[in-house]
Amino acid sequence: MMRRILVLALVLFTIVSSYGQYRRNRNQPAPTTATPEEAPVNTTNPNEYFIAGIEITGLNVLDKNAMSSLTGLKIGDKIKIPGDNIATAIRKLWKHGLVGDVTISVDRIEGQNVYLIIALAERPRLTDFYFTGIPKGKQSSLREDMKLIKGKIVNDAVIRNAELSVKKYFAKKGFLNAQVKIVQESDTLNRGGVRLRIAVDMKGKVKIHEISFEGNENIPDAQLKKKMKKTHEYARITLHRDVLGSVVSTHPRQYKAALDSSHKITGRQFKEYINRNIKLNVFNSSRLIKSDYDDDKEKIIEFYNSEGYRDAEILSDTIVRHGENAIDVKFRVYEGRKYYFRNITWTGNYLHTSATLDKILDIKKGDVYNKDLIDKKTSFNPKGADISGLYMDDGYLFFRVNAIEVAIVGDSIDLEMRIFEGDQATLDQVLISGNERTSDHVIRRELSTVPGQKFRRSDIIRTQQMLSSMGYFNPQKIEPEVRPNPANSTVDIEWKLEEQSNDQIQLSGGWGGYYGFVGTVGLTFNNFSMRNVPHFDKWRPLPVGDGQRLSLQVQANGRAYQSYSISFTEPWLGGRKPNSFTISLAHSKSNPTAAYSTSGAEEVSLNTSSVTFSLGRRLEWPDNYFSLTNSLTFQVYDYKNYLSGTASLPAIGQTNSILFNTTLARNSIDNPMFPTSGSSLSVGVSLTPPYSLFRSDAYYSDINNRYKWLELVKWMVDTKFYLKLLGSNKPNGRSLVLEARAHLGFIGTYSKVLTPGPFERFYMGGAGLAGGFNSFVLGQDIVGLRGYPDNAVTPPLYYLRTAGVRSAKIEGGIVYDKFVMELRYPISTSQSATIYTFVFGEAGNNWDNFYDFNPFKSYRSAGFGARIFMPAFGLIGLNWAYGFDTLKYAPGISGSQFHFTIGQQIR
């Protein structure tokens, strides 16, 4: 019995000991770890400890102290293990997205002190990215669209956003099926860095195969498609089944024979039908771009509304895949009833009668209802008068009119035009911003909006045109900000400007026939300031800001040809009125024999020296687009063996000229570099004193006296008109513009005995430059005619001039005409460069007597080209032209010609 009791006691002791060891092991804290998915917390019997140390491991770039502070744990804190403190610290680290993995564990426990280890895995950082599968030309523009920044942490969101950016970029280009795969590659040169390889498979460009409409009973598909400006079907030929029947054949002859036999259509009829039913879309894109697509849907509704269908709507639009790289777009529309105007009444109009307003509105009873037309006629009508302009040009800035539909009877609508006239507004403050180089007084003197005056909308438009024509500011960025103050019936206007440099440097060269190579160096400062010349602190980098113009030019090829000129213009002489004053000096030397002369050859030379004083002023009548310019020129021609074979000039002599010119001009173009509207008209006459009226005929029989003093009456007429055919009305929008020009000039004298002299005549042909083959001529007016050699349309030699033949008669015309039609389209109208292409047709002729003058007998040409205007270099053009006619003495038609131009060509 005693042994049994001892065995039982031993078993009980062993059980109790094991249980105690179990309790002690269970209360011992275990290591705590966490992953992004879970942070386990064991709340069974947690113990409290003081943090005695924190060790951060696994960092390459991040700062250990910064990461420790992000956890919220610091030495000395009392925490429970297990407990919420550890889980909270893990969440804080994950919140900032700087690390990819977090583990917090206990290193050791010493009494009530615990030592923690925070093991972190840093996310990689972007060091570079590159593309595969796309051309290098597309990579540069795509890089600009990407939002990837070197040094930024790469995570899943960055990868997704980069992928979406690439897909969006190619979607805009029409590659809707483009696939993008982004792969992270370790950067061996940068620890913890990655490079992104962006692999792109563009697939094929997705085009619109067909656009169809359902529910359009009154307006055909073709008309609706035409209103979609940016969304088009791709080019194809559509053959209608109702004509082709069930004939199936790919061989043209069998196809035609089947038609002849089954449908009794002759070959000629078949050809005419096919020509009528060919649908081509060559110049328009067939890509589907979301923003353009949405705009075109609005244009469809706008068109329906303009046709009287005020209730029209697009019920649905569906995009259906058509093969791999094409889609069909299907619209389901609701047209509704077509409405018409019935009665239109006016209320609230006290200044103007209803009859006056009806005349401007110009809508009759029974006209198709058009809400857009109402808006144009009441707010702003770019093609004519409008109600708003009638009031606002009289100061009624606060005027408004609301068109209210007061009755709808059947298909007719009655409108009540409710007018609030308000008070007249007076200009209070006129502010200017954005002019860093140009002085305020230079801008203010061009403003038609002057404080104290009544507000007028026409003054706003006129000021925009004036500021644009100055050339100092970007025409697309001239913005008038109108700030009405209804409380005191005033208005403030701030003119927001963006300056552009229009100073020009001309560096060019040309081949001058027997002159050889002729180089040109020119400097033009269009916003010069003479008064700031001695003040070096105001140079930016030259003395600028007063709107003066200083121009210097040198042309030379050595001894054969030299030309020097300098001019200065003050646009506001005296500073109070827009009276411009110009003084210019010029000296030229022409010695063609120096280029090819041999010993004993007869020297031929012509030297000219001139000084010109000019005074111009703006006119207020008939309107403020008119200007009048008067000038006086003193010029001396020194010649040696120049035209000596014509019995017109002595071998050595001098001709003097005192020439008075007056020019009346009107200029209303909207942009000097790329006009889209307006016109330019100029009529000028140049007169010398009438010496022949005071001298006998015998005086002029002496060759030394005949042209000692130049005598002439010279008329010049130049007209230009601009019409926008297609395009946007936005400031930076592109527009197809038609330019029409006509030029006419003739020279006469005061006496029937004395013919016009050898100077100031017309030389026609080529680019219209004072350069080119045999065209570095002095004392003449150069008129261009593309498609023919330089100056070859010049009597009496015409084509023989190109061979260097000299005439026994005076060369040059005394009457000419020229007509030009040019269709222009801009590539860029930015501040840095204006670039546009054009096609043209022109015709002109040049006569040396009035008896042969016939405006219907002209030399014709057509061609195309491009021009680029850069502020630093001016206007440069390249033209290809084909001359359709045969010049006098030429072996055949003029044919293909290339022309290079520098500067703005007047004629």
Side-chain angles (χ1 to χ4, degrees):
M1 180 62 70
M2 183 61 67
R3 285 197 301 268
R4 291 178 180 177
I5 293 173
L6 289 175
V7 171
L8 180 61
L10 180 62
V11 171
L12 291 174
F13 176 78
T14 302
I15 293 172
V16 172
S17 298
S18 299
Y19 179 74
Q21 182 64 35
Y22 164 75
R23 290 290 302 271
R24 285 193 296 272
N25 290 340
R26 196 178 71 167
N27 293 333
Q28 178 70 29
T32 302
T33 61
T35 63
E37 289 75 18
E38 61 177 348
V41 177
N42 188 351
T43 59
T44 306
N45 300 322
N47 293 330
E48 292 185 343
Y49 298 93
F50 292 97
I51 300 176
I54 300 175
E55 182 181 356
I56 308 290
T57 63
L59 296 183
N60 295 319
V61 179
L62 298 174
D63 182 70
K64 292 183 177 181
N65 294 328
M67 297 304 296
S68 179
S69 64
L70 289 179
T71 64
L73 302 175
K74 56 182 180 293
I75 295 175
D77 285 353
K78 188 176 183 180
I79 63 172
K80 289 183 179 182
I81 298 179
D84 292 337
N85 304 83
I86 300 299
T88 301
I90 292 173
R91 284 194 294 269
K92 287 182 178 180
L93 289 172
W94 270 99
K95 177 182 177 182
H96 291 84
L98 299 174
V99 293
D101 191 19
V102 181
T103 300
I104 300 180
S105 61
V106 175
D107 182 24
R108 64 187 185 276
I109 296 176
E110 296 178 355
Q112 292 298 312
N113 295 328
V114 64
Y115 294 84
L116 302 178
I117 296 178
I118 304 177
L120 304 176
E122 284 190 55
R123 288 190 183 275
R125 292 180 178 269
L126 181 65
T127 58
D128 195 11
F129 63 94
Y130 66 98
F131 301 95
T132 61
I134 58 176
K136 290 184 177 180
K138 295 186 184 301
Q139 293 184 17
S140 58
S141 58
L142 179 54
R143 276 182 174 272
E144 296 176 0
D145 285 0
M146 301 285 287
K147 303 300 182 183
L148 295 176
I149 302 173
K150 292 182 180 180
K152 188 176 181 180
I153 291 174
V154 177
N155 52 30
D156 293 340
V158 171
I159 299 296
R160 284 195 301 271
N161 290 335
E163 183 178 332
L164 290 174
S165 296
V166 175
K167 287 184 176 181
K168 184 178 179 181
Y169 173 85
F170 283 104
K172 290 181 180 179
K173 305 293 183 182
F175 298 93
L176 300 182
N177 294 332
Q179 294 182 358
V180 182
K181 183 178 180 181
I182 300 180
V183 179
Q184 299 185 42
E185 299 176 344
S186 298
D187 191 340
T188 57
L189 300 178
N190 295 278
R191 189 177 180 185
V194 295
R195 302 170 70 229
L196 297 183
R197 174 165 56 86
I198 305 175
V200 181
D201 183 0
M202 295 190 296
K203 301 294 184 180
K205 184 176 287 189
V206 177
K207 296 182 178 181
I208 300 174
H209 171 261
E210 184 180 18
I211 299 175
S212 60
F213 293 86
E214 178 187 342
N216 54 318
E217 299 177 357
N218 298 294
I219 298 180
D221 287 17
Q223 204 167 354
L224 295 176
K225 292 177 186 178
K226 189 177 179 181
K227 297 304 173 182
M228 302 177 73
K229 302 299 182 184
K230 300 285 184 67
T231 309
H232 306 276
E233 300 169 340
Y234 64 78
R236 66 186 188 277
I237 298 177
T238 301
L239 303 179
H240 290 247
R241 290 186 177 181
D242 60 337
V243 172
L244 299 184
S246 59
V247 178
V248 180
S249 177
T250 57
H251 195 284
R253 292 183 179 179
Q254 297 174 358
Y255 198 58
K256 174 181 175 298
L259 285 172
D260 287 342
S261 60
S262 60
H263 293 281
K264 307 300 181 182
I265 299 177
T266 66
R268 182 177 180 180
Q269 291 173 331
F270 175 73
K271 183 177 180 181
E272 290 177 353
Y273 180 82
I274 296 301
N275 289 337
R276 287 196 307 267
N277 289 276
I278 288 179
K279 298 181 181 180
L280 291 178
N281 176 28
V282 178
F283 298 104
N284 293 316
S285 169
S286 60
R287 298 173 301 182
L288 180 66
I289 299 174
K290 183 66 167 61
S291 58
D292 295 337
Y293 178 65
D294 292 338
D295 291 342
D296 283 338
K297 288 196 295 183
E298 292 181 5
K299 286 182 172 60
I300 293 174
I301 299 302
E302 290 173 0
F303 174 66
Y304 264 112
N305 292 341
S306 68
E307 293 295 310
Y309 298 95
R310 64 186 287 274
D311 302 326
E313 61 178 316
I314 296 176
L315 299 177
S316 66
D317 57 299
T318 307
I319 298 176
V320 181
R321 188 169 294 278
H322 185 97
E324 183 178 355
N325 293 319
I327 57 174
D328 292 335
V329 180
K330 299 181 179 181
F331 291 99
R332 191 162 66 90
V333 300
Y334 169 73
E335 293 182 331
R337 169 177 275 181
K338 186 172 184 176
Y339 292 91
Y340 301 86
F341 288 107
R342 193 171 70 166
N343 300 317
I344 300 178
T345 58
W346 300 86
T347 62
N349 54 310
Y350 303 103
L351 293 169
H352 301 284
T353 64
S354 297
T356 301
L357 300 179
D358 283 336
K359 186 176 181 180
I360 296 175
L361 192 64
D362 194 26
I363 294 176
K364 305 295 189 297
K365 185 175 182 178
D367 287 352
V368 173
Y369 185 82
N370 186 344
K371 188 65 167 61
D372 183 60
L373 179 63
I374 288 287
D375 294 338
K376 286 183 178 179
K377 291 296 186 75
T378 56
S379 57
F380 182 73
N381 181 15
K383 297 183 179 180
D386 56 76
I387 306 298
S388 179
L390 179 67
Y391 278 91
M392 287 193 178
D393 279 345
D394 196 24
Y396 291 91
L397 172 63
F398 310 109
F399 159 86
R400 63 178 181 270
V401 56
N402 295 319
I404 307 298
E405 297 177 355
V406 293
I408 300 177
V409 181
D411 62 355
S412 300
I413 297 177
D414 291 344
L415 289 183
E416 183 176 279
M417 312 297 289
R418 298 174 183 176
I419 291 179
F420 172 75
E421 295 177 335
D423 297 326
Q424 286 181 309
T426 304
L427 295 180
D428 186 10
Q429 296 186 70
V430 178
L431 309 174
I432 301 170
S433 62
N435 55 316
E436 298 177 358
R437 289 161 47 94
T438 307
S439 302
D440 276 7
H441 74 274
V442 175
I443 301 172
R444 289 192 178 279
R445 66 194 186 189
E446 303 291 345
L447 301 182
S448 298
T449 52
V450 180
Q453 290 185 174
K454 287 192 302 184
F455 173 86
R456 285 192 291 266
R457 190 177 70 178
S458 58
D459 289 341
I460 299 286
I461 298 172
R462 176 59 174 156
T463 299
Q464 280 185 296
Q465 292 175 334
M466 292 301 298
L467 293 176
S468 176
S469 64
M470 291 174 72
Y472 309 151
F473 312 105
N474 184 353
Q476 282 78 34
K477 296 297 179 67
I478 299 176
E479 299 178 4
E481 184 176 299
V482 180
R483 304 168 186 165
N485 305 309
N488 55 4
S489 299
T490 62
V491 59
D492 298 334
I493 299 177
E494 181 179 357
W495 288 98
K496 295 183 176 181
L497 310 173
E498 181 179 296
E499 287 190 305
Q500 63 181 14
S501 174
N502 63 342
D503 296 334
Q504 297 172 10
I505 300 175
Q506 182 180 349
L507 299 171
S508 63
W511 187 260
Y514 44 69
Y515 293 109
F517 180 82
V518 178
T520 301
V521 177
L523 294 172
T524 301
F525 306 105
N526 287 303
N527 194 5
F528 194 71
S529 175
M530 186 66 73
R531 65 187 177 93
N532 286 336
V533 170
H535 304 290
F536 295 101
D537 58 323
K538 296 183 180 180
W539 288 37
R540 298 188 295 271
L542 295 170
V544 297
D546 283 346
Q548 299 165 342
R549 188 174 188 270
L550 179 65
S551 179
L552 305 95
Q553 188 180 70
V554 176
Q555 283 185 312
N557 81 326
R559 293 188 302 114
Y561 182 84
Q562 298 176 19
S563 178
Y564 312 91
S565 64
I566 180 173
S567 67
F568 174 78
T569 300
E570 168 53 70
W572 282 66
L573 185 63
R576 293 188 176 183
K577 293 184 178 181
N579 298 327
S580 64
F581 174 75
T582 301
I583 180 172
S584 59
L585 302 170
H587 178 71
S588 300
K589 299 168 64 176
S590 174
N591 185 9
T593 54
Y596 59 84
S597 63
T598 59
S599 59
E602 184 181 65
E603 180 183 356
V604 177
S605 65
L606 173 64
N607 302 332
T608 67
S609 301
S610 66
V611 58
T612 301
F613 302 93
S614 176
L615 186 65
R617 63 190 181 96
R618 297 179 196 166
L619 304 178
E620 297 295 329
W621 187 88
D623 59 39
N624 56 10
Y625 292 105
F626 279 87
S627 64
L628 181 66
T629 303
N630 299 302
S631 65
L632 187 63
T633 301
F634 301 90
Q635 190 162 4
V636 177
Y637 302 88
D638 285 313
Y639 46 83
K640 186 175 183 179
N641 297 318
Y642 182 78
L643 297 181
S644 58
T646 65
S648 299
L649 294 175
I652 300 175
Q654 177 177 295
T655 296
N656 305 296
S657 171
I658 301 176
L659 193 66
F660 174 78
N661 173 272
T662 183
T663 300
L664 179 65
R666 185 183 188 275
N667 188 349
S668 62
I669 64 175
D670 59 344
N671 186 335
M673 289 302 103
F674 187 78
T676 60
S677 63
S679 62
S680 175
L681 310 174
S682 174
V683 178
V685 58
S686 299
L687 307 168
T688 63
Y691 303 110
S692 61
L693 299 182
F694 308 106
R695 293 169 179 162
S696 63
D697 294 345
Y699 176 85
Y700 293 104
S701 62
D702 185 348
I703 192 174
N704 294 307
N705 295 332
R706 182 171 302 166
Y707 297 117
K708 186 174 183 179
W709 289 92
L710 190 65
E711 179 177 323
L712 57 80
V713 178
K714 185 175 184 179
W715 288 89
M716 301 292 284
V717 179
D718 301 289
T719 64
K720 298 179 183 180
F721 297 90
Y722 298 93
L723 177 64
K724 182 189 296 185
L725 301 180
L726 296 171
S728 172
N729 291 319
K730 297 179 180 179
N732 293 317
R734 296 179 180 179
S735 304
L736 185 66
V737 177
L738 176 67
E739 180 199 54
R741 288 191 282 137
H743 308 278
L744 174 68
F746 66 88
I747 303 172
T749 62
Y750 299 99
S751 171
K752 294 182 179 180
V753 177
L754 188 65
T755 58
F759 304 110
E760 299 293 334
R761 289 188 171 225
F762 304 120
Y763 281 40
M764 176 180 279
L769 287 172
F773 187 87
N774 195 24
S775 61
F776 283 92
V777 292
L778 301 177
Q780 312 295 352
D781 263 327
I782 309 298
V783 181
L785 187 64
R786 292 166 289 187
Y788 298 89
D790 288 336
N791 299 331
V793 190
T794 302
L797 294 177
Y798 291 94
Y799 182 78
L800 296 179
R801 286 182 55 83
T802 63
V805 177
R806 299 188 66 187
S807 172
K809 295 181 179 180
I810 296 177
E811 294 188 47
I814 63 172
V815 57
Y816 89 94
D817 63 13
K818 178 181 175 181
F819 306 96
V820 183
M821 296 284 282
E822 197 167 279
L823 197 61
R824 302 175 172 181
Y825 187 78
I827 304 300
S828 169
T829 56
S830 66
Q831 180 179 352
S832 58
T834 298
I835 307 171
Y836 61 90
T837 58
F838 56 85
V839 295
F840 68 88
E842 64 184 28
N845 206 345
N846 192 10
W847 298 268
D848 57 3
N849 64 81
F850 291 101
Y851 301 104
D852 294 335
F853 172 70
N854 183 353
F856 300 103
K857 184 179 180 181
S858 299
Y859 293 101
R860 301 160 300 163
S861 66
F864 59 88
R867 297 189 184 100
I868 176 172
F869 173 80
M870 293 183 292
F873 299 99
L875 188 64
I876 301 172
L878 181 64
N879 305 257
W880 176 86
Y882 189 89
F884 298 109
D885 298 304
T886 302
L887 286 172
K888 196 173 183 179
Y889 307 122
I893 61 173
S894 181
S896 176
Q897 302 276 339
F898 281 96
H899 304 287
F900 180 73
T901 61
I902 300 176
Q904 190 75 263
Q905 305 305 111
I906 300 176
R907 302 177 180 92

